[in-house]
Amino acid sequence: MPVLYTLKKRSLISSFCLLAFSTSSHSGRPMAVDDAALVSPQTCQLETWVQHNPDSKEYWAVPACNFGGNFEFAVGLGRVKDDTEHASYATLQGKTLLKPLQTNDWGIGFSFGTQMNTKDSSQKDWSVNVPLSISTLEDKFLVHLNLGWLRENTTHKNQTTWGIGTETQLAQPLTLTAEVYGNDRNDSFYQAGFKYMIYKDFVQLDASYGNQISSHDDAFFSVGFVFLTNTFLP
């Protein structure tokens, strides 16, 4: 999670923070693993959430729009606070589909992004990601596989990122999510959560709990809302 943290802390905002701004009826909040889908053409979506970590809190807002083509653009702002200091981050991401995901089929996409400390724009992390999604049971069970690359500014090292996630629709408004993710240099993390559409197809409530797989000493909890629009862009 925040890019300029070590991966142990980064995974709490998620090293997939650059990769996980998918905005669709499939993945997205509260998942870190991305999906092969875009926000609907000529619409926008706003993801907002608060996350409580063992020694810090995070506040995020990520709007994303699709102006009518096969491309989605997202901009995010985040604030991370602990007992002694705080920092702000900005993220940018672009995403396109190589094969759109359809019901009972598979899809694949490509995304690229950067995240930076707003006080020092030279401190940028860069990433690319390839999400592969598989739909089964009329979209009631979805599997998402991610493989990507991350260039971390603070260490000047390259990392191979990966993730596996599932979505299970229990009822029309309620979906359960489960995932594991990490990279080739640090410990992996798991996260489980739910999303519930509380107002038609326009307002979603979501929450999640996660932790480090090996030591279980980095538990984090998040809760958030997603707001979707009707078609309005030119």
Side-chain angles (χ1 to χ4, degrees):
M1 300 189 144
V3 167
L4 302 180
Y5 280 24
T6 64
L7 182 64
K8 188 172 182 181
K9 288 208 173 175
R10 167 199 307 279
S11 60
L12 301 180
I13 302 174
S14 171
S15 58
F16 276 77
C17 186
L18 298 174
L19 315 176
F21 293 150
S22 165
T23 52
S24 69
S25 60
H26 299 295
S27 192
R29 279 289 307 163
M31 297 187 71
V33 175
D34 201 0
D35 66 352
L38 303 177
V39 64
S40 299
Q42 298 178 304
T43 69
C44 293
Q45 175 175 292
L46 172 64
E47 295 182 342
T48 62
W49 71 94
V50 176
Q51 182 163 300
H52 185 275
N53 305 317
D55 54 5
S56 66
K57 290 184 179 179
E58 305 163 19
Y59 307 87
W60 286 89
V62 183
C65 293
N66 182 342
F67 289 89
N70 183 26
F71 186 78
E72 175 186 296
F73 181 71
V75 179
L77 292 174
R79 186 79 163 171
V80 182
K81 296 182 179 181
D82 59 26
D83 293 336
T84 59
E85 58 183 352
H86 57 265
S88 297
Y89 298 90
T91 65
L92 299 173
Q93 186 203 35
K95 183 181 178 184
T96 189
L97 299 180
L98 307 178
K99 181 183 185 298
L101 176 63
Q102 297 180 341
T103 300
N104 297 326
D105 200 354
W106 62 276
I108 190 169
F110 176 80
S111 67
F112 57 92
T114 184
Q115 182 167 293
M116 69 195 76
N117 189 315
T118 57
K119 290 185 177 180
D120 185 356
S121 60
S122 66
Q123 297 184 29
K124 294 185 179 73
D125 289 5
W126 299 91
S127 70
V128 297
N129 187 50
V130 177
L132 171 67
S133 297
I134 302 169
S135 166
T136 65
L137 302 176
E138 303 297 323
D139 282 345
K140 290 182 173 58
F141 184 73
L142 302 171
V143 178
H144 308 298
L145 308 173
N146 285 191
L147 184 64
W149 167 86
L150 176 69
R151 173 68 175 181
E152 190 175 23
N153 173 270
T154 53
T155 63
H156 303 289
K157 292 182 179 179
N158 297 318
Q159 301 174 6
T160 300
T161 58
W162 60 270
I164 303 172
T166 63
E167 298 182 73
T168 306
Q169 187 182 87
L170 296 185
Q172 185 61 35
L174 178 63
T175 298
L176 299 184
T177 64
E179 59 190 327
V180 292
Y181 56 91
N183 63 42
D184 61 339
R185 294 182 179 273
N186 302 85
D187 290 324
S188 304
F189 286 75
Y190 68 85
Q191 184 172 213
F194 74 88
K195 49 187 176 181
Y196 187 88
M197 195 64 69
I198 59 178
Y199 180 70
K200 298 181 178 180
D201 290 326
F202 298 110
V203 182
Q204 171 192 292
L205 168 69
D206 55 69
S208 68
Y209 170 85
N211 208 331
Q212 189 174 2
I213 292 177
S214 61
S215 63
H216 303 290
D217 62 354
D218 271 328
F220 57 95
F221 174 79
S222 74
V223 61
F225 288 93
V226 179
F227 304 93
L228 302 98
T229 71
N230 283 317
T231 300
F232 76 99
L233 295 173

